[in-house]
Amino acid sequence: MGKRKKSLSVVKKKGNNFIELGKAWFDWGDVYHFLLTISWASFFSLIIFAYLILNGIFAIAYMSVSEGINNVRPNSFLDAFSFSVQTMATIGYGAMYPESLPAHTLVAIEVFIGLLGLAMITSLMFVRFSRPTARVLFSKVAVICPYNGVPTLMFRVANLRNNWIVEAQVRVSLLMPDTITKEGYTMRHLVDLSLVRSQTPFLALTWMIMHPINSNSPLFSINQEEFLREDYQIFITLMGFDGTLSQTIHGRHIYFNQDIIWDHHFVDVVKITPDGNRYIDDAKFHDILPI
């Protein structure tokens, strides 16, 4: 096998561009994953392109066979292409039909490819539709404000579906700025942040995630100016079971240092009506107020 060419991959994030050298954009050994992860527009465009190319190739092959297809105008690519479409879809209108052994051989090959392609596209469509996904909303910003007398990092999470995320668990990590080791290596460390509550039996509406900034917190000795000056980032992952599909789902989010608002608190979105019912005002989910 030949040496794989180096490529340049740029992953854009707010505030950062992650540039990777030497990583292939596409690998034939990972076609299945590629077809599952591309967008729907790219997926259908690729199917249509492959469909047209295959029918075009077989149309040229039919034209190259002497006395191959009956009722086809001589040297008519459009007629040959139309016959290829009918053959691949196993329609068989009867107006055009093969009349020689080479033509029958091409028809058999094309029908086999058409059946195989239909099975593959059907399975890919099913997998793409049935993949468990989470509709989890993270607040646009995180805040640092007192909670029970302790400065606390807070952000909100909401389940946008009308079901439950069962056994939801959240993990919050702080990406520290670059450090230089004694050997001269540049390293970045992820430090897990302890939470007031890292799991909940079910997530149906909203959940306030809180990290107390006490003496055990890596944020304890960092002031606002330093936090904004250095490249601190907060990584969040949320996992749980979809109450409808009974499958594991996950959500993720990144807060950059400019997304952390100091000395602010979130607006309360839970209201209690006079008859004792509770409702949530989703329009204020991202709203914050100064202390």
Side-chain angles (χ1 to χ4, degrees), residues 259-277:
D259 298 325
I260 313 299
I261 310 300
W262 295 64
D263 298 327
H264 283 66
H265 67 88
F266 282 103
V267 174
D268 191 4
V269 296
V270 179
K271 304 296 182 182
I272 302 178
T273 60
D275 55 2
N277 292 325

Side-chain angles (χ1 to χ4, degrees), residues 97-150:
Y97 54 89
E99 58 179 355
S100 65
L101 180 60
H104 279 288
T105 302
L106 286 174
V107 166
I109 295 173
E110 184 172 12
V111 169
F112 176 77
I113 292 176
L115 293 174
L116 186 64
L118 178 62
M120 293 178 61
I121 293 173
T122 302
S123 62
L124 285 170
M125 292 281 288
F126 174 78
V127 173
R128 287 179 67 96
F129 271 112
S130 61
R131 276 191 309 167
T133 57
R135 291 191 62 205
V136 177
L137 177 66
F138 293 86
S139 56
K140 294 179 180 179
V141 297
V143 300
I144 295 179
C145 64
Y147 176 75
N148 287 335
V150 178

Side-chain angles (χ1 to χ4, degrees), residues 2-58:
K3 185 182 294 184
R4 186 163 63 176
K5 293 182 178 180
K6 290 186 177 181
S7 62
L8 176 65
S9 176
V10 181
V11 181
K12 293 186 177 180
K13 297 289 185 182
K14 183 174 65 173
N16 295 85
N17 285 340
F18 301 97
I19 303 175
E20 295 183 84
L21 293 172
K23 183 177 180 180
W25 174 78
F26 177 78
D27 193 321
W28 283 107
D30 209 15
V31 176
Y32 180 71
H33 184 269
F34 172 77
L35 293 175
L36 290 183
T37 53
I38 59 176
S39 65
W40 279 105
S42 300
F43 179 72
F44 282 116
S45 299
L46 186 61
I47 291 176
I48 293 172
F49 177 77
Y51 179 77
L52 294 176
I53 291 297
L54 279 175
N55 280 290
I57 292 174
F58 276 101

Side-chain angles (χ1 to χ4, degrees), residues 188-251:
R188 298 202 72 176
H189 299 282
L190 272 173
V191 181
D192 290 335
L193 302 182
S194 60
L195 303 176
V196 174
R197 183 161 59 99
S198 61
Q199 59 184 8
T200 182
F202 59 86
L203 175 57
L205 300 174
T206 63
W207 183 11
M208 183 74 77
I209 312 298
M210 296 181 288
H211 163 67
I213 305 178
N214 50 31
S215 58
N216 297 321
S217 171
L219 294 171
F220 182 72
S221 59
I222 302 174
N223 56 35
Q224 182 178 1
E225 290 74 17
E226 180 183 356
F227 191 86
L228 293 175
R229 183 176 63 252
E230 302 294 339
D231 187 20
Y232 288 97
Q233 299 175 26
I234 296 177
F235 290 72
I236 300 101
T237 56
L238 185 145
M239 296 185 63
F241 292 95
D242 187 284
T244 303
L245 302 176
S246 298
Q247 291 181 301
T248 302
I249 57 176
H250 64 87

